[in-house]
Amino acid sequence: MIKVSYFARLRELTGKSDETIEQQSMTVRELLEWAETTYPGFGKDTVHVAVNEEYALKEDVIQSGDSCAFIPPVSGG
């Protein structure tokens, strides 16, 4: 199982702060595809993913027991 956490607008879009996905392993790209399919408008092309508190590349593999965080783009001034 893979734990995922949502922040900022993604928390509002999903209606939850975190959830668990029943997968043994998947790439970051596959996780983003899952999120976009599950929550249309997620923004898979602009959201960053951290795995175990480290920014991850789309090719990185996530294993069961890992914690992932979806981090939307941040703007400010």
Side-chain angles (χ1 to χ4, degrees):
M1 295 190 292
I2 298 169
K3 181 182 178 193
V4 294
S5 299
Y6 305 100
F7 296 97
R9 75 164 189 83
L10 300 177
R11 182 176 288 176
E12 295 170 16
L13 176 72
T14 63
K16 50 186 90 170
S17 59
D18 56 57
E19 68 181 307
T20 301
I21 302 172
E22 298 290 330
Q23 292 285 329
Q24 291 302 309
S25 69
M26 63 193 322
T27 64
V28 170
R29 184 180 322 281
E30 291 169 331
L31 178 64
L32 287 165
E33 291 289 340
W34 169 86
E36 186 68 40
T37 300
T38 305
Y39 304 107
F42 193 80
K44 67 181 176 107
D45 295 325
T46 59
V47 171
H48 293 282
V49 177
V51 178
N52 299 325
E53 300 182 11
E54 300 267 341
Y55 277 105
L57 301 174
K58 291 187 178 179
E59 301 78 31
D60 290 347
V61 177
I62 305 162
Q63 299 291 336
S64 180
D66 286 345
S67 294
C68 301
F70 289 112
I71 305 165
V74 178
S75 63

